[in-house]
Amino acid sequence: MNKGLNSQTIQFEGKTSDYYGIWIVNILLSIITLGVYSAWATVRTKQFFLGNLFLSGDSFNYHAKPMQILKGRIIAILCIVAFVVLSHISPVASFLMMVVFYLAIPWILWSNTRFNSAMTSFRNTRFSFQGTLKEAYKVILGKGLIALIAFLVVMAVLFSSGQPESVTGVVFAVIICGFGGGAFALFLLSWVVSGIYNYFINNFKFGDYSFSALVELKKVFIINVISIAIIVCGIFVIGIFSASKFHYMLNYNELSSPSDIISIIIFSYVTILICGVFSAVYATVAMRNYIFSNLSLSHFKLDSSSASLTFSSTLQTLPCIFIMVTNLIMFVFSCGLAFPYTHIRVVKYFARNTSVIGDVDGIGAVSQESSVKSAVGEELASSLDIDLGIL
Amino acid sequence: MTKISGVAYPPATSQKYAASIVRTDDNRVYLYVEEQVIECSVEELAISPDIANVPLKVYFLCGWTFIPDDKSGIFAYLKRPGLANRFITKLESNFVSIVMCLFIVGACGLWGYRYALPWVSVKISNYVPDRAYVAAGEYMLEQLDIILKPSKLSFSVQNRVRDRVSQLQPELCDFRYPIKIHFRSGSSPNAFALLGGHIVLLDEMVGVAKTQSQLDSIIFHELGHVCYQHVENRAVYSVITSVLSSLVINDSSDLIQGLVGSGGFILTQGLSREDEKAADDFSKNAMIKIYGSIQPMVDIYKALNHSRETIPEWLSSHPSFDHRLESINKK
């Protein structure tokens, strides 16, 4: 980070006691009104969180109208109910719904991003998302399809390139195919993911200022490789543990007792769980830090009179895991009542590890016209848990 | 005249200015920003909701936004009632009301899960067309055929059972759809009712039954499920709960969703045990009506009790055989 530039950390000033009241009243009124109030609850919660997020003395603001959310929610619920009912009744309808769902993912992500950005403002200036739907389909479905076909073709070529004659040859071929295929799949995944990030980040605007970042394939690939390597290490440890157990049983001519088998299963399960969590958190943290280190906000007429900002994210894997695990323990032991505290704890951690570098007060952004009104995409995305997870 | 100071932003721009507002007796509001004065009537102002310590924003019709340094009293100063918002803000910030809300939410949650949702499920289930249930039942049977083997019982034995069921069913209940008995082979004695009036009997169950009346008591139990539409109601119930839980806990992690799902599963098993008890009662009444005795039912339950592995009752969809036998033997 350049020390010569003014760096300001995002502050979250919301108190757990305040959020506790908002949260429980939201739930109660949503129950009493048979879910209708949930739209008002969503708006109120977002207004609380964005309104308490401060940068350079000013807070963010959320502008969505509860009626917009309610309409979007009703449509989203009808879609989900139709999906669940049809998938219970007919396999053909279930398959068709799955196809429709996958075809709709780019639209849902695009629509969700457009709505959320248009409803958020800072210093009276709205954010916006200017990416086209066509481009969304190109980077998500188009690239995804090309990656899938490329993977299938390469695997078909690898498997049909001759039969190994010895056992060593078979083992060697399996290792080559496994590692080669895995590395190629990871490369293709990184190619698709970097394309998606580039599309979404470079189409974000703050008034007439544009966000930009170059998310390099090489960096995304390295993050994915490390993330997968963590899981591979876990599998390796499980392999050594299981092999030593079986070796002991064979050498001492002991039949495997149920307790031995159970200990191997429990050890494997716990190791995979720990490695899985570590791998997922590492990938999220590394990706966010990398994207923020590349992110900048500048005016489209880049001249000396307009200020520009850069960003920094300093999340760390171990503290993130610590927060996640302790939050889970608190949530479970409080029967869910600790949710407001755990939620605020996460937001505070993310906020204090996010900095904006540059002259924030020098940004003279002007809001652009927006026609975004429908919250259907936003509601579908939140109901189906589809999220880019950048910010 | 009282002045409220704060900051203001011009229409659609992020430049911040020190500003103040003044309300006059004729309900006009003046925003003073450096050399400029912006004027509008109180009715033309929009005020953001008052939420905890979130800064309050006053929006002018012409696009200016004013943020007071101190938001307390701004509603009264501008003579804007905002009653609903103020009531909710009071609820959210009062300790007693928060504790009361907690108790009411807890009670509503338990009551809803235990009574309201099952009641709604029954109501909705009645509106679902019969052919949808029949088709779903056929699909379930296709899925079961992946794990079950074809029956080894002769067609004459199978048809004898089917004929007896079709003879007896008008005496037992006004069934929603015609009953279809299917025979399959599995690994342990079992019988189950599917959606749409389909009943599956495993060869092993037929094998455990020493007499026709013992087998009938098992079939009557499954007919009880069909008569009371337990499977249909349970299917609608699971759709509703899965949609509701995805809406309520969609902000939480997958791990938390899994834990909530497990809690829901255990509660649902409780409801399932009630269905089993109702089906047992149906079978008991049918046995008294047809055979004048429940002894065959008691005998086959005792026989089945020996062939089952034991899992904790609270985790099981069925009550324990000891409880079932005790319940059957009650007058």
Side-chain angles (χ1 to χ4, degrees):
Chain A
M1 195 188 301
N2 191 338
K3 298 277 179 196
L5 287 171
N6 179 22
S7 169
Q8 300 194 51
T9 305
I10 305 255
Q11 309 280 337
F12 182 75
E13 296 184 1
K15 291 180 198 149
T16 304
S17 54
D18 287 338
Y19 181 43
Y20 213 96
I22 293 169
W23 176 71
I24 197 70
V25 170
N26 279 347
I27 295 177
L28 179 65
L29 294 181
S30 297
I31 291 171
I32 291 171
T33 59
L34 300 174
V36 173
Y37 185 78
S38 68
W40 277 259
T42 301
V43 171
R44 221 167 158 76
T45 305
K46 288 198 173 177
Q47 281 172 340
F48 172 79
F49 277 97
L50 283 172
N52 274 302
L53 217 50
F54 283 83
L55 174 64
S56 192
D58 287 287
S59 70
F60 289 77
N61 205 4
Y62 187 69
H63 299 271
K65 298 274 176 280
M67 282 309 285
Q68 282 175 299
I69 302 280
L70 187 63
K71 282 180 200 162
R73 190 157 291 178
I74 290 168
I75 295 169
I77 289 173
L78 289 177
C79 290
I80 292 168
V81 169
F83 182 79
V84 175
V85 170
L86 283 173
S87 51
H88 270 71
I89 290 173
S90 154
V92 179
S94 171
F95 173 74
L96 285 176
M97 290 296 280
M98 281 310 284
V99 172
V100 171
F101 169 70
Y102 281 113
L103 286 176
I105 285 177
W107 175 80
I108 293 172
L109 280 172
W110 171 81
S111 179
N112 173 36
T113 313
R114 240 163 64 98
F115 182 79
N116 275 332
S117 52
M119 293 304 135
T120 309
S121 75
F122 177 67
R123 291 187 172 173
N124 210 29
T125 306
R126 299 274 184 134
F127 289 83
S128 64
F129 180 73
Q130 305 288 334
T132 62
L133 183 58
K134 190 179 160 191
E135 192 68 13
Y137 270 92
K138 222 161 92 179
V139 295
I140 301 170
L141 272 193
K143 277 191 164 188
L145 211 61
I146 291 170
L148 183 68
I149 292 166
F151 178 73
L152 292 176
V153 168
V154 167
M155 290 313 281
V157 169
L158 275 175
F159 277 112
S160 60
S161 59
Q163 299 284 328
E165 283 165 8
S166 63
V167 177
T168 325
V170 171
V171 173
F172 192 69
V174 168
I175 291 171
I176 293 287
C177 283
F179 272 94
F184 187 60
L186 219 52
F187 172 80
L188 290 170
L189 177 74
S190 308
W191 176 64
V192 175
V193 168
S194 59
I196 292 172
Y197 279 137
N198 277 319
Y199 162 71
F200 278 98
I201 294 164
N202 290 296
N203 281 301
F204 263 116
K205 308 268 179 214
F206 172 60
D208 51 350
Y209 278 60
S210 304
F211 285 92
S212 63
L214 178 63
V215 182
E216 287 180 36
L217 167 61
K218 192 175 116 189
K219 287 277 184 186
V220 177
F221 181 64
I222 291 169
I223 291 169
N224 282 337
V225 166
I226 296 171
S227 168
I228 293 294
I230 294 167
I231 292 178
V232 172
C233 283
I235 294 170
F236 190 67
V237 170
I238 292 167
I240 291 173
F241 178 77
S242 311
S244 65
K245 274 266 177 193
F246 284 121
H247 180 74
Y248 178 84
M249 288 172 200
L250 289 173
N251 273 4
Y252 292 91
N253 225 5
E254 281 186 12
L255 284 172
S256 55
S257 66
S259 64
D260 283 327
I261 302 292
I262 289 168
S263 71
I264 293 174
I265 292 170
I266 292 174
F267 178 79
S268 308
Y269 186 77
V270 171
T271 312
I272 279 294
L273 188 72
I274 291 170
C275 291
V277 168
F278 197 81
S279 160
V281 174
Y282 164 77
T284 309
V285 165
M287 193 67 84
R288 186 181 192 266
N289 289 354
Y290 168 63
I291 288 173
F292 273 62
S293 68
N294 273 283
L295 189 64
S296 68
L297 176 72
S298 52
H299 198 267
F300 71 98
K301 288 179 197 163
L302 199 61
D303 55 31
S304 56
S305 62
S306 55
S308 68
L309 303 174
T310 54
F311 299 82
S312 160
S313 166
T314 52
L315 296 182
Q316 287 177 298
T317 307
L318 286 177
C320 269
I321 291 174
F322 175 75
I323 288 174
M324 203 179 127
V325 171
T326 47
N327 273 358
L328 180 70
I329 293 167
M330 280 187 276
F331 186 91
V332 171
F333 283 97
S334 68
C335 296
L337 294 178
F339 176 73
Y341 172 73
T342 58
H343 195 172
I344 286 207
R345 195 171 168 225
V346 171
V347 174
K348 275 191 171 165
Y349 177 72
F350 272 69
R352 70 170 174 265
N353 281 289
T354 308
S355 305
V356 179
I357 304 146
D359 180 14
V360 176
D361 295 332
I363 297 285
V366 178
S367 270
Q368 304 298 291
E369 284 295 313
S370 169
S371 58
V372 179
K373 294 219 164 31
S374 166
V376 178
E378 205 272 336
E379 287 305 311
L380 273 172
S382 86
S383 306
L384 298 169
D385 205 14
I386 304 171
D387 189 14
L388 276 175
I390 301 174
L391 302 175
Chain B
M1 208 172 288
T2 322
K3 202 162 70 170
I4 290 185
S5 53
V7 293
Y9 297 94
T13 63
S14 65
Q15 285 299 340
K16 183 162 68 172
Y17 297 94
S20 59
I21 54 168
V22 171
R23 185 186 63 78
T24 57
D25 292 338
D26 58 348
N27 272 347
R28 306 294 297 172
V29 177
Y30 296 89
L31 173 69
Y32 294 95
V33 186
E34 294 188 339
E35 303 296 304
Q36 289 187 72
V37 181
I38 292 98
E39 180 203 354
C40 75
S41 73
V42 171
E43 287 75 31
E44 287 169 348
L45 293 176
I47 306 177
S48 66
D50 186 14
I51 302 169
N53 59 337
V54 173
L56 206 74
K57 278 138 186 143
V58 180
Y59 302 104
F60 284 71
L61 196 63
C62 54
W64 277 83
T65 301
F66 174 74
I67 304 174
D69 291 337
D70 178 13
K71 69 175 181 177
S72 59
I74 191 87
F75 283 99
Y77 179 74
L78 293 173
K79 291 195 174 168
R80 294 297 295 263
L83 281 176
N85 180 45
R86 271 151 68 187
F87 171 69
I88 290 169
T89 308
K90 272 195 177 161
L91 268 184
E92 290 169 348
S93 54
N94 184 290
F95 179 75
V96 178
S97 71
I98 289 173
V99 173
M100 278 177 66
C101 285
L102 264 173
F103 276 109
I104 298 170
V105 166
C108 283
L110 284 176
W111 177 81
Y113 214 90
R114 199 72 183 78
Y115 302 105
L117 280 183
W119 183 81
V120 171
S121 306
V122 171
K123 296 289 165 205
I124 294 176
S125 169
N126 290 334
Y127 286 101
V128 177
D130 291 1
R131 58 194 157 87
Y133 283 137
V134 174
E138 281 161 7
Y139 173 62
M140 285 166 84
L141 195 61
E142 279 172 29
Q143 297 303 305
L144 278 172
D145 280 339
I146 298 169
I147 48 170
L148 296 176
K149 292 185 271 295
S151 170
K152 292 186 187 81
L153 295 175
S154 66
F155 284 113
S156 64
V157 171
Q158 292 185 19
N159 286 334
R160 221 169 33 238
V161 174
R162 287 192 186 104
D163 290 345
R164 201 164 60 246
V165 170
S166 57
Q167 266 177 16
L168 293 175
Q169 57 173 296
E171 293 181 49
L172 302 175
C173 177
D174 182 15
F175 290 100
R176 187 171 171 177
Y177 1 62
I179 305 296
K180 291 167 278 296
I181 306 276
H182 307 272
F183 290 88
R184 297 289 186 274
S185 174
S187 56
S188 59
N190 212 341
F192 26 83
L194 307 177
L195 288 167
H198 296 276
I199 290 175
V200 179
L201 271 177
L202 297 191
D203 292 356
E204 291 75 13
M205 179 61 93
V206 179
V208 169
K210 296 281 180 280
T211 60
Q212 179 184 301
S213 54
Q214 285 188 6
L215 182 62
D216 281 353
S217 72
I218 296 297
I219 296 171
F220 292 158
H221 174 93
E222 300 310 327
L223 286 174
H225 284 311
V226 179
C227 177
Y228 298 136
Q229 298 180 42
H230 287 153
V231 192
E232 287 78 0
N233 298 342
R234 195 66 51 225
V236 175
Y237 181 82
S238 68
V239 169
I240 296 174
T241 47
S242 60
V243 171
L244 280 182
S245 59
S246 78
L247 285 173
V248 172
I249 55 172
N250 66 359
D251 281 342
S252 318
S253 73
D254 291 344
L255 227 49
I256 288 172
Q257 288 187 26
L259 286 168
V260 175
S262 312
F265 170 76
I266 291 166
L267 280 172
T268 313
Q269 296 301 76
L271 292 170
S272 177
R273 288 194 293 275
E274 282 181 11
D275 289 353
E276 293 304 324
K277 197 182 165 306
D280 275 349
D281 289 344
F282 180 91
S283 178
K284 184 179 160 182
N285 292 334
M287 287 299 287
I288 292 167
K289 192 172 185 180
I290 308 291
Y291 292 102
S293 164
I294 57 162
Q295 196 51 46
M297 190 179 175
V298 173
D299 291 341
I300 196 164
Y301 274 29
K302 279 182 180 164
L304 288 169
N305 196 10
H306 293 297
S307 60
R308 295 286 165 100
E309 68 265 29
T310 49
I311 54 167
E313 194 182 60
W314 55 271
L315 209 55
S316 170
S317 60
H318 288 59
S320 71
F321 270 107
D322 291 336
H323 279 136
R324 292 174 79 174
L325 283 166
E326 197 183 308
S327 172
I328 293 164
N329 284 320
K330 271 184 197 162
K331 238 188 172 182

